[in-house]
Amino acid sequence: VPIVPTFLYTTEYEGANSSAGPALPEPAPAAPRAPPFSSVLSYFDNTTVPVRGPTGAAEPPNGTGSSAPGHPPSTPPAPPRGCLEGAEFLAQENTRVGLLFASKALVQLLVNPWVGVLTNRIGYHIPMFIGFTIMFLSTVMFAFSGTYTLLFTARALQGVGSSFSSVAGLGLLASVYPDDSERGSAMGIALGGLALGVLIGAPFGSIMYEFVGKASPFLVLAFLALLDGALQLCILQPSRISPESTKATPVSALLRDPYILVAAGALCFSNMGVAMLEPTLPIWMLQTMCSPQWQLGMAFLPASISYLIGTNLFGILANRMGRWLCSMIGMAVVGISLLCVPLATNIYGLIGPNAGLGFAIGMVDSSMMPIMGYLVDLRHTSAYGTVYAIADVAFCMGFAIGPSTGGAIVRALGFPWLMVIVGVLNVAYAPLCWLLRSPPAAEERMAILSQECPMQPKSCTPKEALREFPLTEESDGEAENAE
């Protein structure tokens, strides 16, 4: 997020202007003697730069004569110190950077349904390890990509790895924690891991890029990914196939469920706000605040910290206060926070809106992710790969539509209007979360749940889903002997 806009500006805009500098035509000499001053016309700041000579006069930009005595040449006013030139290039870059960021979500959107079907057939461990491998390759590719095309390819490859990791990871948690309250707490911790990555990632990337170089943060991430792969090999044993014991509900049937669609919409629209901020906020800061590069990543720090707090806090509280109410309040706060973002005049003015945005998205995510598993338990069969593929599709739609359309809206209407549009959209959608207050159970599922646990049908799942987490082959053998 903080690296790509400034990297493209440096390599494409400044690179093009610096290469055009030597191609300037030499002025024809007006006299045998060289003039005491010669002017250099810079394509970067469009101002005349006098070169020291034996006298104190300056020539006009064409360098063919001397200025009149007592009348210094008029030059256009200098831009504010620290601001970047090339307003038209920055406007076009909003669209290009938005498409680059959206490519991951678009690819992830297409791959998710297939990963959901795959997890139902072979289990969650192998897909998680495949996702780690692809993420490692894309991270290394980011480190050594020097053109927009290679960055686009690395970002799309990252979407494939994210699809395998996120769908398999959420499905694994849902199967290991069948109790609804425990599942909510576990997913809150897992989403806190996501927040921790965003919390460290943006400031770490911007500081490393400015003071060390573009490849350095990605190489550090690649090393950390290797450690993650080693942990997966030791703990999850991804070489073994362990398919779901119950047949999963088809994707088409889940997509016809209005309650699943409402939960998916909440995930999509709440995350669309931060997805639109990622490509547009750094460029808006460059244009209006003249921010240095390290501030572009630090601007997202309040959102990351508050998201980390929100997911861990409401992973437990949402089940007590009602997940529907938690998500409704969260979406309203998302909208209000987005409306306040354009009011900031410096990086300190972004602290409040971004902190509110991150905290509210944490409320929505920590409520909606457990609800997706609960709805499957209540209204369908307890196989979670498919429903979390839908949840991840909704998440990715926000990150696909947001950056791709956000850049175009900024170019047409401006950054403040973009925040108004997506903020009002979130506030308008919030009342729909009331539909999740007490979703009805399917008749056949209610009969199964009432037979297994007549007192507390909401926290029960079929007996097939209550098997022990298979850490080792011995534990699988014990489970089979018990059966």
Side-chain angles (χ1 to χ4, degrees):
V1 171
I3 292 176
V4 169
T6 50
F7 175 74
L8 291 177
Y9 180 89
T10 303
T11 56
E12 296 184 0
Y13 182 79
E14 292 184 357
N17 287 327
S18 62
S19 62
L24 290 175
E26 293 288 337
R33 287 184 57 191
F37 277 80
S38 61
S39 297
V40 179
L41 181 63
S42 169
Y43 270 30
F44 179 73
D45 59 3
N46 233 9
T47 58
T48 302
V49 182
V51 180
R52 182 178 298 276
T55 63
E59 286 191 353
N62 57 14
T64 57
S66 59
S67 60
H71 297 282
S74 61
T75 59
R81 186 175 182 180
C83 284
L84 298 181
E85 293 292 327
E88 180 62 24
F89 178 85
L90 290 173
Q92 294 177 357
E93 192 181 9
N94 271 300
T95 304
R96 298 176 72 236
V97 172
L99 290 175
L100 175 66
F101 287 168
S103 62
K104 169 186 177 291
L106 288 172
V107 172
Q108 194 168 344
L109 193 70
L110 299 175
V111 176
N112 273 338
W114 303 101
V115 177
V117 174
L118 182 65
T119 56
N120 292 328
R121 294 185 177 181
I122 68 173
Y124 304 108
H125 307 141
I126 295 178
M128 278 193 69
F129 190 78
I130 293 175
F132 141 74
T133 305
I134 298 175
M135 291 286 286
F136 171 77
L137 294 176
S138 67
T139 305
V140 174
M141 189 173 181
F142 265 120
F144 300 104
S145 297
T147 63
Y148 181 84
T149 303
L150 289 177
L151 289 171
F152 192 94
T153 304
R155 181 68 170 170
L157 187 64
Q158 190 181 30
V160 180
S162 294
S163 179
F164 278 89
S165 298
S166 57
V167 173
L170 291 170
L172 181 63
L173 285 177
S175 63
V176 171
Y177 296 95
D179 182 76
D180 189 49
S181 59
E182 291 182 357
R183 180 185 297 165
S185 301
M187 288 190 174
I189 296 173
L191 293 172
L194 171 66
L196 187 62
V198 179
L199 168 65
I200 300 173
F204 168 76
S206 59
I207 292 173
M208 290 284 285
Y209 173 60
E210 181 165 7
F211 298 108
V212 183
K214 181 182 80 75
S216 56
F218 297 109
L219 293 178
V220 173
L221 290 183
F223 174 74
L224 294 176
L226 284 178
L227 295 180
D228 174 68
L231 288 174
Q232 290 192 37
L233 286 175
C234 296
I235 298 175
L236 298 182
Q237 297 184 359
S239 61
R240 300 184 313 146
I241 296 177
S242 52
E244 287 283 356
S245 56
T246 57
K247 185 177 180 180
T249 305
V251 177
S252 57
L254 295 178
L255 290 176
R256 290 194 298 267
D257 191 324
Y259 299 96
I260 290 180
L261 291 179
V262 169
L267 286 171
C268 176
F269 290 118
S270 61
N271 285 280
M272 189 182 295
V274 71
M276 286 186 172
L277 280 180
E278 283 187 351
T280 57
L281 181 61
I283 297 175
W284 182 69
M285 292 174 65
L286 291 172
Q287 290 176 308
T288 60
M289 302 178 186
C290 308
S291 302
Q293 292 176 2
W294 65 269
Q295 286 189 2
L296 305 183
M298 296 297 291
F300 292 92
L301 187 62
S304 305
I305 295 175
S306 58
Y307 184 85
L308 178 63
I309 297 172
T311 51
N312 284 276
L313 181 63
F314 286 95
I316 300 173
L317 291 181
N319 192 37
R320 299 179 181 178
M321 64 181 290
R323 293 195 176 112
W324 67 274
L325 179 61
C326 184
S327 58
M328 179 187 291
I329 296 174
M331 292 201 70
V333 176
V334 166
I336 296 172
S337 300
L338 289 172
L339 293 175
C340 295
V341 168
L343 303 179
T345 56
N346 53 45
I347 190 173
Y348 303 105
L350 292 172
I351 294 176
N354 281 358
L357 179 66
F359 191 79
I361 294 176
M363 295 175 66
V364 177
D365 287 357
S366 60
S367 302
M368 290 296 103
M369 287 300 184
I371 277 184
M372 297 294 266
Y374 171 70
L375 290 173
V376 167
D377 287 339
L378 192 66
R379 300 172 56 81
H380 305 279
T381 57
S382 299
Y384 305 101
T386 308
V387 73
Y388 282 111
I390 294 176
D392 206 46
V393 163
F395 188 83
C396 293
M397 284 186 67
F399 277 86
I401 298 173
S404 57
T405 60
I409 294 175
V410 167
R411 191 172 181 183
L413 302 177
F415 179 79
W417 275 108
L418 172 67
M419 295 294 99
V420 170
I421 292 173
V422 69
V424 170
L425 186 62
N426 274 271
V427 174
Y429 191 90
L432 291 179
C433 296
W434 183 84
L435 298 174
L436 300 173
R437 182 172 60 93
S438 181
E443 294 181 2
E444 62 273 14
R445 293 297 296 160
M446 181 58 72
I448 294 174
L449 293 174
S450 62
Q451 291 175 6
E452 296 182 356
C453 187
M455 298 301 294
Q456 295 178 342
K458 287 188 177 181
S459 62
C460 292
T461 56
K463 291 179 180 178
E464 294 86 354
L466 298 177
R467 55 199 181 102
E468 184 185 358
F469 178 44
L471 292 179
T472 63
E473 295 181 1
E474 289 77 8
S475 61
D476 272 358
E478 293 175 0
E480 292 175 1
N481 293 333
E483 293 176 359

